[in-house]
Structures are given as C-alpha cells and as structure tokens.
Amino acid sequence: MLHFLQVIVLLLAFISYQHEAIAQSDFFLPLNKHTDAAKPLYSARIYKEGTNYLIDIDAPFTWFGCWPTWNMQPGNYCPGVCTPAVSCYEDICNKVRTSSSSKSPSCPPAQDSDYEGECYCPYNVVDPLDSKCVISYLSNDTFDVRMTSNGIYSANANVGCVDPSTAFLSYPKDVTGVLALSTSPYALPASLNQPPLNRTLSLCLPSASAAPGILLYGNGPYYLSDVDVRSLLSYTPLLKHPDSFGYFISVNSIVIKKRSVDLPGNTTAKLSSVEAYTTLRTDIYNPVVRRFTMVTKRIPKANPVAPFSLCYSTSTNGTQAALKVPDIILNLQGGKNWTISSAITLLNR
C-alpha cells in the first residue's frame, strides 16, 4: 500500500461531527459529499425543483439544467424544469453579459438568441470541473429554503439555464446544477441580501458520504448537540482579490516539525470547494516537499504516482505498518494557526 503526500484544499469549515445540528440561523441546507466523480465534491438540494446543486464558493453565477420559457401557464409543454425567461432587451441581460463575471478568455462573446419571435439572453458560464465554456440562458427563478423556524423562505434570483442533457456528464449522479456562493453580485448570497435575512454564510462540509454537512445562513449560534461550534473555531480575515469573486486568506509561513518554510511577502491562498488537493506555486511547493522529505527520511519511499511527487510505502517484509508523519501548520494572518493532521496530509492507495 502507498501513502501520498497531499495538502488538503482550504475550506471555509471542515467538521466531521455526526451529531444533530441545531442552528439559530435564518435558514439551512443539508450538504452531501459525493465520491462517484473524478474527485470528491459537495452538493446542496434546493427544495422547489428538487435539484442537487454543486457547491462552488468561487462561481460568479448559479446555473442548472432547465429550460427558459415565456409561457409558464399550467398545461404548457416543458421538456423538463422550466423557468421564466429573461429577454435580451431587459437591463439585467445587458448588465450580466457586460459584467466581469461572464467574461472568460476561453469563451466567445455571447450572441442574442431568437426563437419563435422572442429574444433570449444567452451568456457565458465556465464549468468548474473542466473549465469549459457553457452557454447559459438568463432566467428568473425562486429558491425555496427551509428556515430554522420550520417555515419556508422563498428568494427570487437570476439564474442560468443550460442544456441538462449535455452539461453535467462529469458530475456526480443526480447533480445537475452549480450553486454560486461567491462574492459576485449574481451569486446566491447577493440574492439573499434582503430582510429578514442576515448576510452571514457558514459551511460545514462533511468528511464522509454517510454523514451530511450543513450550509447555514445567518449569524448563529450554531449548535452541534449542545455545543456552539463557533467557540471551537479559529478566525482569520477573508480577503478579496480584484480578479476573482472567490475568498482568500493570508498565509505567513508553513511550519513542519517546528521549522518554518518561509513564504514570499503578501502570500495568499484561495479557498475552494471543488478541488481535491491544494495546488502550490513551484517556489513554495519545492521547499515544502524538501522539508517533509527530510523529517520523514526514515520512512521507505515508493515510486511516485501522479499527481503526487512524494510517496511512501507502508509495507515492510509483507507487513502493513502505520506511518507517523508530522502535522503541517499554516501560520495565518493575526497569529492564527491552521493545523493539518497526518490523517489528512496522507492519502492511502
């Protein structure tokens, strides 16, 4: 058996408790972990359409498999989930198509689409799994979410419709949408920025498929059993980047067995909910691997297996042995530490 050195992708929160969550928030959504795709992914289910949305904290738009239509009257034929279309003549169409959110070097400019005398509003979205350009059609939709007071809250939002028969082939089973939780003016948090909601978003991503996580919208407290988990967390500021709607944190150094790997000044790390492993710049990755190799020099190495460059063997004379490796500590802004344990830095194969 091999162990691979990996560094966990930086997440807003990663808590693996299986206790019942009781949150004094405005609303919540259960989160599921999927392991039937090329990499682990997370989704939330929106109650109205019963659609499972991929969680993406970097996406500028929410989009899913649906059909924009001008006739929402009962009895009108619809090949699947239909939503009210937005005309290419409406102001919101021009705002979406000219915003930086819809511009990507890989995408050609979107052109108006006429069908049966009506002008639809196409715009570009980028698939977070393969980075390919996808044509989406702007529409209006209502998100129904469960309030912690046991009611249902409905929020109006502009979303994109894509062809469900071709857009989600590499996605986990039954996931046919992308839920944008970024700082974009067209992401879900911006649509929910209205009374009586409080614009505070918390993610507790599940560590296993059997135990769901939770998305909480509101100021808290957030109880797991009888413990407010806010008291267990460390805090570091979330930073913005002028070329991204995602979330960033400042990293001062990486500590391995009490020795720091110094980083260039003003180093930031981008948070992701769709990447399985952290990607480091070469000038940071190389000294991290050198330091980790030095402190694990007594552990037998194995041939590298892509995408990893440092692998270990756990078999000695036919006997499987547990590996003991040091934690990796990220020293963050404000003197806070993020400790990544060996249970996460090593991947079994």
Side-chain angles (χ1 to χ4, degrees):
M1 181 181 294
L2 301 179
H3 272 79
F4 306 94
L5 173 64
Q6 63 171 339
V7 183
I8 63 165
V9 66
L10 300 177
L11 302 172
L12 293 184
F14 196 93
I15 304 173
S16 59
Y17 295 109
Q18 299 186 31
H19 305 295
E20 181 180 2
I22 304 174
Q24 302 299 318
S25 59
D26 295 321
F27 72 78
F28 66 93
L29 289 173
L31 302 182
N32 295 307
K33 182 176 182 179
H34 301 270
T35 57
D36 57 340
K39 54 187 175 182
L41 297 167
Y42 306 91
S43 72
R45 186 176 182 85
I46 301 296
Y47 298 106
K48 179 186 175 183
E49 303 94 356
T51 299
N52 290 310
Y53 287 81
L54 178 76
I55 295 294
D56 190 349
I57 63 174
D58 187 45
F61 296 108
T62 293
W63 47 283
F64 70 109
C66 57
W67 304 94
T69 182
W70 302 103
N71 185 0
M72 293 295 293
Q73 297 299 320
N76 179 48
Y77 171 73
C78 179
V81 176
C82 284
T83 57
V86 171
S87 169
C88 65
Y89 302 113
E90 295 185 41
D91 289 341
I92 186 62
C93 178
N94 182 61
K95 289 179 180 179
V96 166
R97 295 205 303 199
T98 57
S99 74
S100 59
S101 304
S102 63
K103 295 178 181 178
S104 171
S106 63
C107 299
Q111 302 294 327
D112 291 343
S113 176
D114 291 307
Y115 179 72
E116 295 183 348
E118 300 288 355
C119 184
Y120 290 82
C121 179
Y123 64 101
N124 296 312
V125 294
V126 177
D127 191 314
L129 300 190
D130 59 17
S131 299
K132 292 182 179 179
C133 185
V134 180
I135 292 295
S136 178
Y137 292 88
L138 191 63
S139 65
N140 294 308
D141 198 18
T142 301
F143 287 93
D144 292 340
V145 292
R146 194 177 302 279
M147 306 288 287
T148 53
S149 59
N150 295 323
I152 298 293
Y153 179 82
S154 296
N156 295 319
N158 290 119
V159 299
C161 282
V162 301
D163 186 348
S165 65
T166 59
F168 304 101
L169 301 181
S170 61
Y171 280 54
K173 182 181 178 181
D174 298 329
V175 175
T176 55
V178 174
L179 187 63
L181 299 178
S182 69
T183 62
S184 165
Y186 305 106
L188 184 62
S191 300
L192 298 174
N193 188 27
Q194 51 190 305
L197 301 182
N198 296 306
R199 192 175 177 179
T200 302
L201 178 70
S202 301
L203 286 179
C204 177
L205 298 177
S207 58
S209 301
I214 192 168
L215 181 154
L216 301 166
Y217 200 93
N219 294 330
Y222 309 134
Y223 287 108
L224 291 174
S225 295
D226 57 350
V227 177
D228 183 358
V229 296
R230 295 179 304 170
S231 64
L232 306 177
L233 303 177
S234 295
Y235 293 85
T236 192
L238 292 177
L239 308 178
K240 292 184 178 181
H241 192 282
D243 298 324
S244 173
F245 292 107
Y247 304 93
F248 296 77
I249 59 174
S250 177
V251 182
N252 296 328
S253 64
I254 300 175
V255 180
I256 303 174
K257 204 170 184 179
K258 299 182 180 181
R259 180 171 295 182
S260 295
V261 176
D262 293 329
L263 305 178
N266 300 318
T267 296
T268 58
K270 184 178 182 179
L271 306 178
S272 174
S273 56
V274 297
E275 296 296 338
Y277 314 111
T278 292
T279 301
L280 299 177
R281 269 182 7 208
T282 302
D283 61 330
I284 298 175
Y285 176 80
N286 288 339
V288 167
V289 171
R290 282 198 300 267
R291 176 60 183 163
F292 205 88
T293 301
M294 181 179 299
V295 300
T296 58
K297 60 185 178 182
R298 296 182 181 276
I299 301 176
K301 303 296 189 294
N303 293 328
V305 177
F308 306 101
S309 65
L310 179 58
C311 300
Y312 300 93
S313 174
T314 58
S315 178
T316 303
N317 297 324
T319 302
Q320 297 295 322
L323 297 185
K324 186 176 181 180
V325 299
D327 295 337
I328 296 177
I329 300 174
L330 306 183
N331 180 250
L332 307 178
Q333 182 178 348
K336 301 295 184 179
N337 290 332
W338 188 336
T339 300
I340 305 171
S341 69
S342 59
I344 299 175
T345 57
L346 293 178
L347 174 67
N348 282 317
R349 283 289 176 87

